[in-house]
Amino acid sequence: MGKAVLVSIGFDVNLVTRSLLKIGLSNSDVLLLLYSKSGGEYERKKVESAVSTIKDLISKTGIGYCDIVVSGLDFVDDVTSILSVLKKHSKPNIIASLVGGMRMVIIEAIVSLLLYRKFLNKNVTITIHTMREDGIYDIMLPLNAMYPPDLSSRELTALKIIKESNLLKKPRAKIVEELSKRLNVTESMIYKLLGNLEKKNILEIRDSTLEPTLLGRIILNIL
C-alpha cells in the first residue's frame, strides 16, 4: 500500500531532500508536492526551480507524485484543494514533510491533515516531519500531539505519581503495584487505566516497561 508523503516546498531544495531522506521512500509511495506560486516574479521562479529539481530527483526513482498548487491567499480554497488530493490519494499512512514553503501554506497543510483525520479517514496514521533550517535537529511528530486528549482526574493523578515516584521505565508490574496502593484501587483497574493512557498516546509499553511518548513527556513536564 505504501504511504503518502505531503511535501511543502519553498526556495530551499536541500531542506526538502534532507527531510525525504530522513523519512525514507519506496516505490509504493506517492509524493504530494505542495507549493504556492504567489509573490513576485523572483519568488515564483525560485519556487518553480525548487519544484523542478525535486521532480527531476523523483523521476529517477519511479515514485509517483502529484502537484498541489495553492494560492496562499484564500485559506478555505487552499485547504479544500489539499483535502481533495489527500482523499484522491488515500493511504493508510501519511507523513507530512513540512520543512519548506510559506508559513501560511504550512498552517493550511496542518489544518488539512487535522480535518482529513477527523472527517475523512479516522484510521489513518499521520506524522509530521520538521527540522531546523540548518538541519541539525529534526523531529517526527504524531499528529495526535496537535490535539491532546482529555484526561480524567484519576489519570492525571496517576501521571503525577509516576513522575514524582520516578516509576517510568520500571517493570510495568511494579508500576501497577505502586499505583494500586497510592490510588487505593485494584490492580486490574490500574491495568485498565494504563491501557487508556496508551490508547491516548501518552504512554507506550516496551518490553514490559512504560515509557512516555513525545506528547507524554511534555505533559509530564507540565505536571
Side-chain angles (χ1 to χ4, degrees):
M1 288 291 291
K3 60 184 178 290
V5 181
L6 179 66
V7 187
S8 62
I9 304 173
F11 298 164
D12 193 336
V13 175
N14 291 329
L15 273 178
V16 175
T17 54
R18 285 179 185 176
S19 178
L20 293 178
L21 286 172
K22 287 275 188 176
I23 292 170
L25 300 174
S26 68
N27 289 335
S28 58
D29 296 339
V30 60
L31 290 181
L32 311 178
L33 308 179
L34 173 63
Y35 57 95
S36 171
K37 293 184 179 181
S38 62
E41 183 179 357
Y42 172 78
E43 288 80 9
R44 287 197 299 273
K45 285 185 177 180
K46 289 282 285 184
V47 170
E48 288 171 354
S49 175
V51 171
S52 178
T53 299
I54 292 168
K55 286 182 177 179
D56 286 341
L57 293 172
I58 296 171
S59 66
K60 299 174 183 177
T61 66
I63 296 172
Y65 65 85
C66 174
D67 292 276
I68 311 176
V69 184
V70 295
S71 68
L73 298 171
D74 187 325
F75 197 90
V76 173
D77 188 59
D78 289 351
V79 168
T80 301
S81 296
I82 296 169
L83 283 169
S84 176
V85 174
L86 288 173
K87 185 177 180 180
K88 180 179 180 181
H89 296 277
S90 178
K91 295 281 188 179
N93 296 294
I94 297 174
I95 297 181
S97 169
L98 304 181
V99 298
M102 298 169 56
R103 292 181 181 89
M104 175 66 76
V105 174
I106 290 175
I107 296 299
E108 290 172 348
I110 293 172
V111 170
S112 298
L113 292 167
L114 288 168
L115 292 172
Y116 181 77
R117 174 72 170 78
K118 181 73 173 179
F119 295 108
L120 297 177
N121 189 346
K122 296 181 183 298
N123 297 317
V124 68
T125 299
I126 302 178
T127 306
I128 294 173
H129 182 245
T130 188
M131 66 170 64
R132 282 173 45 128
E133 287 78 0
D134 55 14
I136 65 174
Y137 177 73
D138 71 291
I139 188 169
M140 291 281 193
L141 180 70
L143 187 70
N144 288 346
M146 298 289 181
Y147 45 100
D150 292 329
L151 297 174
S152 69
S153 58
R154 179 171 287 175
E155 288 169 340
L156 285 170
T157 300
L159 288 172
K160 289 179 182 178
I161 294 171
I162 288 173
K163 180 181 180 181
E164 293 167 359
S165 302
N166 197 27
L167 294 176
L168 284 172
K169 296 188 178 181
K170 291 189 177 180
R172 184 170 49 153
K174 174 67 176 177
I175 297 173
V176 169
E177 179 183 357
E178 182 67 21
L179 288 177
S180 177
K181 291 178 182 177
R182 296 283 295 274
L183 294 174
N184 193 29
V185 297
T186 64
E187 291 191 357
S188 62
M189 291 185 68
I190 296 300
Y191 275 109
K192 183 178 180 180
L193 182 149
L194 294 177
N196 287 337
L197 289 173
E198 186 178 21
K199 289 178 182 177
K200 293 178 180 180
N201 196 40
I202 305 298
L203 299 175
E204 58 184 345
I205 300 173
R206 292 185 180 178
D207 299 327
S208 297
T209 63
L210 285 177
E211 294 188 22
T213 62
L214 185 145
L215 175 59
R217 286 162 53 196
I218 295 172
I219 291 175
L220 286 169
N221 284 341
I222 294 171
L223 296 176

